[in-house]
Amino acid sequence: MHLTEEFRLRGEWDDLAQDDIDHISDDFERVLRLLLINGMINSLFLKTAFPDFWGTAVRRLECQGKEQ
């Protein structure tokens, strides 16, 4: 939500000053870090609470990776 507001208030990426680009880049990095942490926590929860589901999901992702 914060990043959306930043873009709305500051305008187009091509028109931003370097300070604004640095600020948004830092915000984006924080968002990605939190999303990755949240994803890992959710994965660990699924592995613990639903081991069969988790195992099936992992095998399916491994198969998709081999196809590419």
Side-chain angles (χ1 to χ4, degrees):
M1 182 107 171
H2 177 76
L3 280 175
T4 304
E5 289 297 313
E6 290 278 355
F7 278 114
R8 189 180 64 77
L9 293 172
R10 295 176 190 260
E12 295 294 320
W13 181 262
D14 294 334
D15 299 332
L16 295 177
Q18 189 60 44
D19 287 345
D20 291 336
I21 291 172
D22 293 342
H23 177 82
I24 290 174
S25 294
D26 289 343
D27 287 349
F28 191 72
E29 183 180 333
R30 275 189 230 113
V31 167
L32 284 179
R33 187 178 303 118
L34 290 172
L35 285 172
L36 289 171
I37 290 168
N38 194 334
M40 292 302 297
I41 290 168
N42 287 336
S43 178
L44 292 173
F45 169 75
L46 287 175
K47 184 178 182 181
T48 304
F50 306 101
D52 293 336
F53 173 77
W54 187 83
T56 301
V58 169
R59 285 190 298 279
R60 190 169 199 172
L61 289 171
E62 287 173 348
C63 288
Q64 286 179 352
K66 291 177 183 177
E67 291 175 0
Q68 295 177 354

